C-alpha cells in the first residue's frame, strides 16, 4: 500500500468516526474558555465539540487575551473552532443536527435590557431547535442547555411580578416545541470573560443550568423531573365580558387529571379594563 493510499484510507476512517460520534455545539463562548475546559473530557467520551463565537477571528484575538491559547487547546483534541457564528441563525452555518447545544449566560451586547434578552432567548431556541437531534425508536433526542442566573431563569420566582421580570426562557422554549426537563445549580470551572463584549469577568448570582428537550421526545416526558418543567402556554380570547378564569382553570385541570398527565394548569386574565373589552386568558401548563 502506498503512503498516499494510506493517508486516503485514514482520512475516510476519520470521517466515519466523526459521523458516528456524538456532536456538541457551544454557542457564544466568550474567549473559548468553556470549550477549552471540557475539550479533553469530550474527546475521551467520543463527543466531537464545535466551539463558536459571534466575533470575527481578528476581532476575537484583539479582544481576548486567551483567545489563541484556548483555540489551540480545543483543536489539540480534534475539535473545531468557528468564528462569526450567530447563535440565532444557525441555519446559515450548519446543516447537520447536534446531540447537545449549549449557550452559557446568553446576553445581548451592551447594557442589559430584559426585552432584548428575551428576544435573544426566543431567537436562540427557535434556531437551535431546528438543529437538535430528533428522537427515534432506538435513542433519545438531543438537548439544549443554557446557563442563567436564577433571577433570569424565573423558575424560582415567588410571584407573578418576579416572574415577569425574568427572561422567561421556559416560555420561549415552549414556543419552539421544547420542554424544560431539568434544572440544576451550575458552578462554572472556567474563566467568565466577555462582560459586555469585553475581556472582563462578570459576577454570578445563584446560576442554574437549564436543560430542554423536544416535546416529541416521549422518553423525556416520562423520565424528567415533572415538578419543574413548563409544558406549554397559550392564550384564549372570549367575547364574554364575564370573568371565567376559575371555570377555565377548573375545566383544564379536570381534563389533565382525567388523562393522568401529572400536569397542572394555571390561568391568568388580560384585558377587560373597560366594559366593551373582551377578556383574554393566559394559560400555563406545568408539570407537577
Amino acid at each position: 500500500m502506498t503512503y498516499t493510499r494510506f493517508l486516503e484510507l485514514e482520512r475516510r476512517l476519520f470521517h466515519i468516526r466523526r459521523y458516528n460520534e456524538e456532536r456538541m455545539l457551544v454557542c457564544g463562548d466568550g474567549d473559548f474558555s468553556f470549550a477549552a475546559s471540557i475539550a479533553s473530557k469530550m474527546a475521551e467520551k467520543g463527543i466531537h465539540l464545535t466551539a463558536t463565537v459571534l466575533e470575527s477571528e481578528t476581532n476575537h484575538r484583539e479582544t481576548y487575551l486567551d483567545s489563541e491559547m484556548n483555540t489551540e487547546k480545543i483543536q489539540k483534541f480534534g475539535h473545531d473552532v468557528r468564528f462569526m457564528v450567530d447563535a440565532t441563525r444557525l441555519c446559515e452555518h450548519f446543516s447537520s443536527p447536534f446531540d447537545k447545544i449549549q449557550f452559557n449566560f446568553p446576553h445581548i451586547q451592551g447594557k442589559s435590557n430584559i426585552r432584548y434578552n428575551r428576544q435573544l432567548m426566543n431567537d436562540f431556541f427557535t434556531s437551535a431547535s431546528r438543529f437538535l437531534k430528533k428522537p427515534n425508536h432506538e435513542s433519545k433526542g438531543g438537548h439544549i442547555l443554557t446557563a442563567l442566573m436564577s433571577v433570569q431563569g424565573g423558575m424560582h420566582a415567588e410571584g407573578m411580578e418576579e416572574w415577569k421580570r425574568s427572561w422567561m426562557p421556559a416560555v420561549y422554549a415552549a414556543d419552539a416545541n421544547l420542554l424544560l426537563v431539568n434544572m440544576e445549580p451550575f458552578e462554572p470551572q472556567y474563566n467568565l470573560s466577555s462582560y459586555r463584549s469585553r475581556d472582563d469577568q462578570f459576577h454570578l448570582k445563584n446560576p442554574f443550568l437549564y436543560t430542554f428537550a423536544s416535546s416529541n421526545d416521549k422518553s423525556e416526558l416520562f423520565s424528567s423531573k415533572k415538578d419543574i418543567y413548563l409544558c406549554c402556554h397559550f392564550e384564549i380570547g372570549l367575547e364574554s365580558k364575564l370573568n371565567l378564569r376559575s371555570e377555565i382553570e377548573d375545566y383544564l385541570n379536570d381534563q389533565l387529571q382525567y388523562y393522568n398527565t401529572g400536569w397542572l394548569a394555571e390561568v391568568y386574565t388580560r384585558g377587560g379594563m373597560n366594559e366593551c373589552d373582551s377578556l383574554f386568558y393566559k394559560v400555563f401548563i406545568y408539570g407537577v
Side-chain angles (χ1 to χ4, degrees), residues 104-139:
N104 292 338
F105 307 108
H107 201 287
I108 61 163
Q109 295 182 339
K111 191 174 181 180
S112 177
N113 181 294
I114 292 178
R115 180 166 62 91
Y116 293 149
N117 282 310
R118 285 177 181 169
Q119 187 64 50
L120 172 61
M121 298 302 306
N122 178 75
D123 294 345
F124 167 66
F125 285 127
T126 300
S127 176
S129 64
R130 296 169 182 166
F131 288 90
L132 198 60
K133 177 186 173 185
K134 291 180 171 56
N136 55 47
H137 64 284
E138 296 180 347
S139 63

Side-chain angles (χ1 to χ4, degrees), residues 69-279:
M69 179 187 71
N70 287 332
T71 298
E72 292 175 354
K73 187 180 295 185
I74 295 166
Q75 293 174 333
K76 182 178 75 171
F77 292 98
H79 303 305
D80 292 333
V81 169
R82 297 183 61 171
F83 298 88
M84 299 181 70
V85 174
D86 187 342
T88 67
R89 304 171 71 93
L90 295 178
C91 60
E92 297 179 359
H93 309 282
F94 302 102
S95 57
S96 301
F98 291 89
D99 298 89
K100 184 183 292 185
I101 301 174
Q102 187 158 345
F103 195 172
N104 292 338
F105 307 108
H107 201 287
I108 61 163
Q109 295 182 339
K111 191 174 181 180
S112 177
N113 181 294
I114 292 178
R115 180 166 62 91
Y116 293 149
N117 282 310
R118 285 177 181 169
Q119 187 64 50
L120 172 61
M121 298 302 306
N122 178 75
D123 294 345
F124 167 66
F125 285 127
T126 300
S127 176
S129 64
R130 296 169 182 166
F131 288 90
L132 198 60
K133 177 186 173 185
K134 291 180 171 56
N136 55 47
H137 64 284
E138 296 180 347
S139 63
K140 292 183 178 182
H143 293 99
I144 294 175
L145 299 90
T146 183
L148 294 167
M149 286 180 275
S150 177
V151 67
Q152 297 167 340
M155 300 308 291
H156 294 90
E158 296 182 355
M160 282 302 294
E161 288 304 315
E162 189 175 341
W163 162 251
K164 289 176 181 178
R165 291 194 296 270
S166 76
W167 294 5
M168 303 181 179
V171 171
Y172 295 110
D175 282 341
N177 203 30
L178 300 167
L179 302 179
L180 177 60
V181 296
N182 194 32
M183 178 179 66
E184 58 189 6
F186 184 61
E187 298 182 6
Q189 303 295 319
Y190 63 95
N191 181 39
L192 292 169
S193 62
S194 195
Y195 177 69
R196 295 186 179 176
S197 302
R198 302 194 304 267
D199 194 8
D200 293 331
Q201 285 200 343
F202 54 92
H203 301 288
L204 299 179
K205 295 180 180 178
N206 200 21
F208 279 80
L209 186 65
Y210 300 81
T211 301
F212 300 87
S214 169
S215 61
N216 296 320
D217 194 343
K218 304 304 181 186
S219 61
E220 288 290 357
L221 290 180
F222 296 105
S223 65
S224 62
K225 299 177 181 178
K226 289 190 175 182
D227 59 332
I228 55 92
Y229 68 71
L230 170 67
C231 305
C232 64
H233 80 290
F234 53 91
E235 198 167 86
I236 303 172
L238 300 177
E239 292 297 329
S240 172
K241 307 301 186 297
L242 298 175
N243 190 332
L244 302 175
R245 188 200 68 79
S246 296
E247 288 83 352
I248 293 173
E249 187 171 277
D250 290 344
Y251 172 77
L252 290 173
N253 281 311
D254 286 344
Q255 294 298 307
L256 293 171
Q257 184 176 7
Y258 177 80
Y259 289 103
N260 196 30
T261 62
W263 298 343
L264 173 71
E266 293 183 1
V267 180
Y268 303 90
T269 56
R270 181 174 70 81
M273 298 298 291
N274 302 310
E275 285 189 11
C276 58
D277 288 346
S278 296
L279 277 170

